[in-house]
Amino acid sequence: MLDLDTREWVLTNGLGSFASGTVSDVRTRTYHGWLFAATNPPSGRTLLFSHLEASLEVLGSVVALGTNFWGNGQIEPTGYQLLRSFDISPVPKWTWGQDNWQLTRQLVMPYGLVGTEDWGLVTEDWGQGGISNVPSPMPNTSLREGAPTTSLSTSAQSPMPNAPIQFCHRILIHYRYEGSHTAILRLRLLIAERDFHHQQTAGPKLQFSQMLGQQQVCLQAINSGRFGIPWHLRWTQGNYQPDAVWYWHYGLPEETKRGLGDKEDLYSPGYLIVTLQPGDAVTLEARVGFPDLMLSVITDKTFAEAVEAEQDRLSQIFGWGERGRNQLKIQNSKFKIKELLPPAHSPLWEQLLKASDQFIVYRASIAGPTVIAGYHWFNDWGRDTLIALPGLALVPQRFDLAKGVLRTFGHYCRYGLIPNAFPDVNGEPIYNSIDAALWWIETLGLYLEATQDWNFLAEQFPVVQQIYKAFVGGTHFNIQVDATDGLVSWDARGVALTWMDVVIGLHPVTPRYGKPVEINALWYSALCWLSQWAERLSQLEFGEPARLTKQAQRYAQQAEHVKTSLQKFWNPQLGYLYDTIEPDDRRNFQIRPNAVLALSLHHCGFSEQQGCQILDLATASLLTPYGLRSLDPGDPEYKGKYQGNQEQRDRAYHQGTVWAWLIGPYIRAWQRFYPQRSLPFDWQPLRDHFLFDACLGSISEIFDGDLPHTPRGAIAQAWSVAEVIRHIK
């Protein structure tokens, strides 16, 4: 593996579908493949199309271009040795070659929300629209291996009547050949139907049907008599040969490292033979659903048009080019923002914004936008979404997106809590977070500061008051304001409600029962916001001015009470904040980044002297080139490497592991308490990581606490990217 480039790439479609792999084109994870379709956006992600195994014949000599790990440890074939270059921009592009030929391959995953513009520019009507009907299964045909293939003309897929929104999950693959002689390209299909967390295993209950049409084949799994998801592959030229065979025991070494299932069986229904003259190209499209008579025929221009369409979509969102700048002027006018145009952009800035867009997805169960926490394996999480929203939406001026997400989460507020996760199908959201509601208030405040959208404040103020009343009066998990000091406390065994939320069995690794410091800093900031908002609404004559003025005064008094009580967290011997005040009033004196979080909020309840001392110790103990450690290396519980099986990794997750997103709170705190001093942080390592390491064009979730700070966890994390966008220059 020493000369294999296993850095990764990811493509997304705005619905939760994705494609991913490595630079050397070898699959190392369960999550590598060319079409993971989010059948219930953004969830239900199912691997349908793994990849094409390519070989090229020139002058009678055949070379295999693919690279595979096998379960016995072998690497076969070794196409990576012919790989001449790889480029990630604007889409992934591989170039293989020898002296007398060169073959390039490019992939693009078109935006999948069809029938509407990007919600960040045009629509606030989240609840409108419908989706395509799920097509019925293919006729049951003979499915034994190598059985004759049924012929297929085309079968139209009919959308719901008057449905303005449809979901489209597809990927386009484009090959171009250059050389001095005619070449024959063979492309063998490798397919699956399995949940994206699990590997596929061949067996008599799992079979695949294929039906041929004109330059297309329609494929569908049948598992224990259950019809799977139909999808089809189309191509611009070539002859398809049915040749059904299983390939057993692909190896997945990254899963071996993580102590998870690490072998996969893939099915091949056949292969495509394409004769290529020098300069010739072939384009293929894999698309979920049956072939549709209404679809335009793919041509040699289809791929370039898809790349251009995606570039145009991004330019409209982020203000690149004249059309995009005009869109932002309309947006700014709508929110009464004077001539607020995007900052001078550089290639790095454009790539960061492009990376940010990969996390914005449509959730069908709420008919609105949400944020995927990270790729490959995360869904959307309330806390992560709200922390990431300023960087993903406010800085890029996607104000309608921010408004839509805030409105959705506000709509689902229950018992004064904001959901930390939404169900994929029927069912209630999951309310297992103490801080999501407080982050919702904090992010709402940042949105209002940016937009002055006081009508939206009037709309959401009842939700704000619901949260306030629930925290004061008590709600689930024994969350309640302590009447003696005004601080928020909680006590519920077997759960972990803060962002340090790992639970192994029924035992939280970092339980943080009682009064966590950042929770009470958020509570203080929330009370300050409430006082400001009540006063603002009274002046604008939303509601009853006299009553709102009294509320503003009461919130301000409570905020002062809480500010005084926050001094309970001050540890004068250490010059730092206690991490928690436990239910029995003991103090937890571990040096964690939650003290820095407490300094970084819009309203801060700590003095300048305290802030400087906290930052000095955090800089010495927690700061790394990639973010903040979650625990001081001198602590007996510190774990410097995030590796091993699931339990070992979980025990290290918040016990020293570096979190990239925490660099944002650190910078905000530094700018508050050391405004005249240069930031003791060099952006270059994080820039290099974004451009050249791990997942090219994104930022990892976490890094080892110990040198060399190896990137770990999810290869692309929303709040990591978002916090860099908020502060990088």
Side-chain angles (χ1 to χ4, degrees), residues 654-721:
H654 300 112
Q655 299 287 63
T657 295
V658 173
W659 290 76
W661 77 273
L662 291 172
I663 197 59
Y666 176 84
I667 292 172
R668 290 192 290 280
W670 187 272
Q671 291 171 341
R672 167 176 278 146
F673 291 101
Y674 283 127
Q676 304 304 319
R677 288 178 54 177
S678 60
L679 182 71
F681 179 75
D682 180 4
W683 280 107
Q684 196 59 48
L686 205 47
R687 281 195 189 104
D688 289 346
H689 170 78
F690 174 75
L691 293 171
F692 308 120
D693 195 15
C695 180
L696 301 178
S698 200
I699 300 176
S700 297
E701 175 192 12
I702 52 177
F703 299 77
D704 282 344
D706 288 350
L707 290 169
H709 303 302
T710 302
R712 307 284 190 182
I715 63 171
Q717 194 76 1
W719 56 11
S720 299
V721 172

Side-chain angles (χ1 to χ4, degrees), residues 87-88 155 195 224 241-242 294 306 346 361 422 427 501 505 583 612 677 697:
D87 191 10
I88 194 66
S155 175
D195 175 79
S224 301
Q241 299 294 322
M294 302 301 293
S346 64
V361 298
F422 287 104
D501 55 2
C612 291
R677 288 178 54 177

Side-chain angles (χ1 to χ4, degrees), residues 348-624:
L348 174 64
W349 181 248
E350 289 190 3
Q351 289 180 64
L352 280 164
L353 294 181
K354 180 180 178 182
S356 75
D357 186 67
Q358 292 188 314
F359 303 105
I360 309 302
V361 298
Y362 180 89
R363 172 167 278 284
S365 65
I366 61 175
T370 187
V371 175
I372 289 288
Y375 293 100
H376 303 94
W377 46 76
F378 287 117
N379 259 4
D380 45 340
W381 295 95
R383 175 191 300 114
D384 298 49
T385 295
L386 293 163
I387 291 173
L389 204 59
L392 298 184
L394 298 184
V395 173
Q397 300 171 46
R398 302 180 71 173
F399 298 130
D400 274 327
L401 168 62
K403 187 174 182 176
V405 171
L406 289 166
R407 176 179 282 143
T408 295
F409 278 91
H411 175 75
Y412 283 94
C413 183
R414 302 287 187 275
Y415 336 107
L417 301 179
I418 293 291
N420 203 33
F422 287 104
D424 294 336
V425 289
N426 294 333
E428 274 292 299
I430 299 169
Y431 297 87
N432 61 344
S433 164
I434 187 175
D435 52 348
L438 300 175
W439 280 115
W440 183 85
I441 291 176
E442 183 75 4
T443 305
L444 174 62
L446 298 179
Y447 166 82
L448 294 169
E449 289 290 299
T451 64
Q452 307 293 294
D453 187 358
W454 306 121
N455 286 319
F456 187 61
L457 171 60
E459 173 192 312
Q460 296 299 312
F461 199 62
V463 180
V464 175
Q465 291 177 307
Q466 180 191 154
I467 294 169
Y468 167 80
K469 291 176 182 177
F471 272 62
V472 170
T475 184
H476 293 341
F477 307 107
N478 291 316
I479 298 169
Q480 187 168 13
V481 168
D482 186 331
T484 61
D485 58 18
L487 298 177
V488 172
S489 181
W490 74 282
D491 190 1
R493 304 296 154 164
V495 295
L497 302 187
T498 72
W499 78 275
M500 293 183 162
D501 55 2
V502 170
V503 177
I504 299 175
L506 295 177
H507 303 286
V509 177
T510 50
R512 308 186 72 223
Y513 305 127
K515 300 168 182 176
V517 63
E518 84 282 7
I519 300 303
N520 281 285
L522 280 162
W523 175 239
Y524 169 72
S525 190
L527 290 169
C528 292
W529 284 121
L530 263 67
S531 178
Q532 291 179 19
W533 294 341
E535 184 64 32
R536 171 74 66 169
L537 292 174
S538 71
Q539 294 171 356
L540 296 174
E541 297 186 355
F542 287 104
E544 302 174 29
R547 183 173 59 85
L548 286 166
T549 299
K550 289 182 180 179
Q551 287 179 347
Q553 293 170 350
R554 184 173 74 250
Y555 297 143
Q557 290 168 357
Q558 286 183 270
E560 283 302 310
H561 185 202
V562 170
K563 183 176 182 179
T564 299
S565 297
L566 285 175
Q567 292 304 306
K568 289 186 174 184
F569 289 99
W570 180 243
N571 181 344
Q573 289 75 35
L574 197 58
Y576 207 70
L577 299 178
Y578 293 113
D579 192 62
T580 56
I581 299 174
E582 298 178 18
D584 60 4
D585 214 36
R586 288 182 300 165
R587 268 60 166 174
N588 181 307
F589 54 83
Q590 290 178 301
I591 301 172
R592 293 188 179 277
N594 301 306
V596 178
L597 274 175
L599 301 181
S600 69
L601 304 172
H602 191 80
H603 303 94
C604 179
F606 296 96
S607 71
E608 180 179 348
Q609 180 182 359
Q610 289 172 330
C612 291
Q613 288 186 257
I614 292 164
L615 285 170
D616 289 346
L617 186 52
T619 301
S621 300
L622 304 179
L623 182 64
T624 77

Side-chain angles (χ1 to χ4, degrees), residues 164-165 182 295 321 349 595 597:
I165 296 176
T182 301
L295 291 178
W349 181 248
L597 274 175

Side-chain angles (χ1 to χ4, degrees), residues 211-273:
M211 293 188 287
L212 294 179
Q214 184 67 33
Q215 293 184 205
Q216 63 185 354
V217 59
C218 191
L219 300 151
Q220 189 174 30
I222 301 178
N223 194 343
S224 301
R226 179 189 64 83
F227 284 99
I229 301 163
W231 63 281
H232 61 281
L233 185 74
R234 305 191 292 162
W235 51 87
T236 53
Q237 63 164 318
N239 296 310
Y240 180 78
Q241 299 294 322
D243 181 34
V245 63
W246 278 98
Y247 286 76
W248 294 297
H249 306 311
Y250 285 91
L252 302 168
E254 287 298 322
E255 307 304 349
T256 306
K257 294 177 186 177
R258 300 198 311 143
L260 302 174
D262 60 358
K263 293 179 178 61
E264 170 105 290
D265 301 334
L266 294 174
Y267 181 75
S268 176
Y271 57 90
L272 184 69
I273 301 174

